[in-house]
Amino acid sequence: MVDLSTTLSSLRLKNPTMLASGIMDEDAGSIQRMMDCGAGAIVTKSIGIQPREGYPNPTVLELESGLLNAMGLPNPGIDHYGTELLHLKKSKIPIIGSIFAAEVKDFIFLAQKMEQFGAHAVELNVSCPHAKHYGVEVGCDVVLLQNIISSIKRKIHLPVFVKLSPNIMDLVDIVQAVEKAKADAIVAINTVKAMKIDIETGRPILANKVGGYSGKAIKPIGIRCVYDIAQHVGIPIIGVGGITTGEDAIEYFMAGASAVQIGSAVYYRGPEVFRLICREIQTWMKNHRYEKITEFIGVALQ
Ligand SMILES: Cc1cc2nc3c(=O)[nH]c(=O)nc-3n(C[C@H](O)[C@H](O)[C@H](O)COP(=O)(O)O)c2cc1C
């Protein structure tokens, strides 16, 4: 019997495939659909205090081996989004509320709201590569980040996950600070800062010019980040970036991830991707005589 369950702090997931933030998670209906398609947990769209329109179009481009996006964190604001989450309050699948802000007090406010609205954990998006003041600037300021994490931990009872960017040089210093501040898990990686230029017009195509690259092309970057992080912290790591097949997920587990998030592959393989990836992991495990994922988490580190 193959057991796909995994744990992230106090959360128990029936399988290790989670929906990544920002993909098909804008309302209760789309989240329910992802749950019905087998996701082991859901991360919400990143939500701020006020409604935000995001950037003008074009906001998403399909490139050779992935997607380039600069959405600009569009969201309806925490109070409106909360009414969507209340529809899912009875759900048995864990929901992780992703939040973004620039200041400690706003992060605390959003985390408390997520707790009230029934989220099972919060994920701090401190890694958006294209949102001024709300993104990587927060995630690479060690003092600010530690202050955000420890302040939230004092105010809410939920596990706190921290989502980091591959665009920072001092990843090891940051993850050690994150663990010291008592975060419950690290999520790696957010999109990779990137750009596409139209050679006929000589202009960047995205309205915001710069965006974040996701999908197959970034998997080796995500694997390297998870591998580096796993050597320096003891808290669980959630791997994300380019996971499209069960084999991709297994590679992340071997690098040290306890669960994985799937974003762009929902676009490439459809919402059924969660069930498909679980089946692929199960087949591989059977063929290699593994019964539990924990048997091969981090084997590449040994
Ligand atoms: C269209 C789009 C929107 C995204 N929005 C968010 C977001 O709101 N918050 C966040 O933390 N990450 C966001 N991401 C990043 C994903 O959650 C994920 O970290 C990244 O896409 C890498 O995973 P993937 O290769 O499986 O897509 C977004 C990605 C895409 C493609």
Side-chain angles (χ1 to χ4, degrees), residues 20-23 45-46 60 67 69 71 73 98 123 125 163 189-191 214-215 218 240-243 261-265:
S21 178
I23 291 102
K45 175 80 200 147
S46 290
V60 186
L67 301 175
N69 94 83
M71 306 291 293
L73 295 172
S98 171
E123 182 176 289
N125 177 4
K163 184 171 183 183
I189 55 176
N190 208 319
T191 51
S214 62
I218 71 165
V240 50
I243 297 163
Q261 294 181 2
I262 294 156
S264 303

